[in-house]
Amino acid sequence: MRFLGVAALRRSAVTALLAAAGLSALAGSSSAADWPQWRGPARSGISSESAWTSRFPRSGPRRVWSAQLGEGYSNVAVRGERLYTMGNRGGKDTVFCLNTRNGKVVWSQSYPCPPGDYTGPRITPTLDGAVVYTLSRQGQLFCFNAASGKVLWGKDLRALTGAKEPTWGYSGSPLVYGNLLILNVGATGAAVDKRSGKVVWKSGPGPAGYSSPMPFTLGGKRGIVLFSATEVVAVDPAKGRPLWRYPWRTQYDVNAADPIVSGDTVFISSNYNHGGALLRVAGSRVTPVWQNRNMRNFFGTCLLIGGYLYGNDDNTVRCLDLRSGTERWQLRGVGKGGLIAAAGKLLILTERGELVIATAKPDRYTELARAKVLDGTNWNHPTLANGFVYCRNHEGLLVCLDLRGK
């Protein structure tokens, strides 16, 4: 595949393809059993899926298949019998489409991209109807036909926006918003037409933060909130105009966890001993409700369930009261692992590759199951889709585990 070798894009064919797919305003409209983008249907890390078992033996759930993808931190997007993810080998990124039944490659596309420090791609592909979007650590943005892998268009966002690449590369997964594809590229983001890749708006040269763009409605106004290198900022999705902002300076400019909007408040968190804060937003005015070091998210974003935060505080999963920031319980020894939730339960993948199931309740930590499922370095969250859980390590091994309870 030749990057930017798609200038002769047949716009009419792409438009017809998208229209036939009946695309929704947001990619998160897929079936609740699917996991079509970063952190699931609503980008919240929470699935409404209930047809899965939270019990398995010490030997772990049955491994259905495994696949080697190359190095990276790209997680998986799943729809039906197709799974999409990325990896890097020999200075090339590869976008994979796998069959969820057996892990075999349906299609793959590769392009030159140096692996960088902490090697490999960071973003999760975004599914939207008949297409899938990916972004490399260097800002190479692609739109593929999800069924065949055909390149519909490709763009070099660094060249088009003049944005400075962050130290560890672009990490924010693309967000589909109406006819726009919104990206954490530049000082306060950028947006392209999802049908053509044409830049609709851009911000200053950056650098960007490492979080993914998050849609919200606050005070009747719709917006997109994301982290830059030095602040949390909300922008108008149509034109990119800043709506409000709040300074948030961290060591090495690492702001990686996604902001969480709840009512008229926004929770933010970063590591390097910086901590977290709950902010109240009124118009363009932002004031802190509380700030402490009880939750220092490195990569993984917290889960907000019933007014409580569940997240990885620098090697320790903690439960905090959102309103006050006070701790309710903790689980030590998870490293930089990630977590999601479904059916009132937490699914935690520790850095050592243990899959842990626990209840998502603020009164106490109750563990239901634990088993070693992967070796290597595991910084991703697990992914639950259609009764199967997918776990991937940095070295590139992806495993599919059966949690259907049959």
Side-chain angles (χ1 to χ4, degrees):
M1 181 178 65
R2 292 182 297 115
F3 179 59
L4 295 182
V6 291
L9 171 66
R10 298 177 181 177
R11 295 176 182 270
S12 59
V14 175
T15 302
L17 176 67
L18 297 174
L23 301 183
S24 61
L26 290 174
S29 63
S30 298
S31 166
D34 290 332
W35 194 270
Q37 60 177 333
W38 168 245
R39 301 191 74 232
R43 293 172 87 91
S44 64
I46 302 170
S47 170
S48 60
E49 185 165 344
S50 58
W52 62 282
T53 180
S54 58
R55 306 283 185 177
F56 46 78
R58 287 187 176 182
S59 58
R62 181 177 70 91
R63 180 182 287 196
V64 182
W65 53 260
S66 64
Q68 181 55 244
L69 310 169
E71 293 181 322
Y73 301 97
S74 176
N75 222 311
V76 302
V78 181
R79 184 169 60 208
E81 294 185 354
R82 295 292 180 266
L83 176 152
Y84 303 83
T85 189
M86 302 170 66
N88 186 284
R89 282 197 194 102
K92 289 185 178 181
D93 276 358
T94 299
V95 180
F96 292 95
C97 172
L98 304 181
N99 187 312
T100 59
R101 293 175 300 173
N102 53 31
K104 293 184 178 180
V105 176
V106 178
W107 60 258
S108 65
Q109 290 278 21
S110 298
Y111 55 88
C113 186
D117 295 332
Y118 298 99
T119 52
R122 289 93 163 95
I123 76 99
T124 299
T126 299
L127 284 162
D128 183 41
V131 302
V132 58
Y133 300 100
T134 66
L135 179 68
S136 80
R137 62 179 302 278
Q138 286 195 322
Q140 297 147 304
L141 176 65
F142 286 104
C143 175
F144 300 95
N145 180 305
S148 68
K150 179 182 178 181
V151 181
L152 302 179
W153 53 258
K155 302 292 180 180
D156 183 345
L157 289 187
R158 288 188 307 178
L160 291 175
T161 65
K164 180 181 178 182
E165 181 184 328
T167 302
W168 289 281
Y170 294 109
S171 301
S173 298
L175 168 69
V176 175
Y177 195 96
N179 288 325
L180 297 178
L181 193 65
I182 298 177
L183 307 124
N184 193 353
V185 173
T188 56
V192 304
D193 186 310
K194 72 177 185 179
R195 296 162 294 192
S196 66
K198 181 180 178 181
V199 175
V200 175
W201 57 260
K202 60 183 179 179
S203 55
Y210 301 97
S211 75
S212 294
M214 294 294 295
F216 70 89
T217 301
L218 196 154
K221 287 188 176 182
R222 293 182 177 180
I224 304 296
V225 62
L226 50 79
F227 261 127
S228 76
T230 59
E231 63 181 355
V232 59
V233 59
V235 299
D236 170 21
K239 297 185 178 180
R241 176 179 58 87
L243 301 174
W244 50 263
R245 60 207 322 158
Y246 188 79
W248 194 253
R249 296 299 300 259
T250 56
Q251 193 171 6
Y252 308 113
D253 293 333
V254 176
N255 293 319
D258 304 336
I260 299 175
V261 178
S262 177
D264 63 348
T265 63
V266 182
F267 173 74
I268 56 176
S269 178
S270 298
N271 207 323
Y272 293 105
N273 209 32
H274 194 74
L278 186 68
L279 311 175
R280 177 159 284 116
V281 180
S284 61
R285 184 181 179 186
V286 183
T287 55
V289 178
W290 56 261
Q291 182 172 344
N292 62 37
R293 292 176 178 168
N294 287 344
M295 187 65 73
R296 297 159 294 176
N297 295 148
F298 211 137
F299 314 113
T301 303
C302 284
L303 310 171
L304 178 59
I305 304 172
Y308 294 90
L309 294 164
Y310 301 84
N312 188 345
D313 168 50
D314 194 26
N315 188 45
T316 301
V317 171
R318 297 184 193 271
C319 173
L320 304 187
D321 188 321
L322 176 68
R323 296 165 296 179
S324 63
T326 56
E327 180 185 313
R328 300 300 297 266
W329 55 256
Q330 60 177 252
L331 168 67
R332 294 183 179 274
V334 297
K336 294 181 177 66
L339 63 160
I340 61 171
K345 300 177 183 67
L346 304 175
L347 293 87
I348 304 165
L349 181 63
T350 73
E351 184 171 345
R352 297 188 302 273
E354 292 176 299
L355 180 64
V356 181
I357 312 294
T359 57
K361 293 182 178 180
D363 53 345
R364 65 181 181 275
Y365 173 76
T366 303
E367 190 166 299
L368 304 176
R370 178 188 290 251
K372 176 85 167 178
V373 297
L374 270 177
D375 293 318
T377 301
N378 299 273
W379 288 357
N380 283 0
H381 60 66
T383 297
L384 177 67
N386 306 307
F388 297 93
V389 65
Y390 302 91
C391 302
R392 184 249 174 91
N393 63 20
H394 166 256
E395 291 77 9
L397 183 63
L398 172 69
V399 297
C400 171
L401 308 171
D402 190 350
L403 289 186
R404 292 175 297 173
K406 293 182 180 180

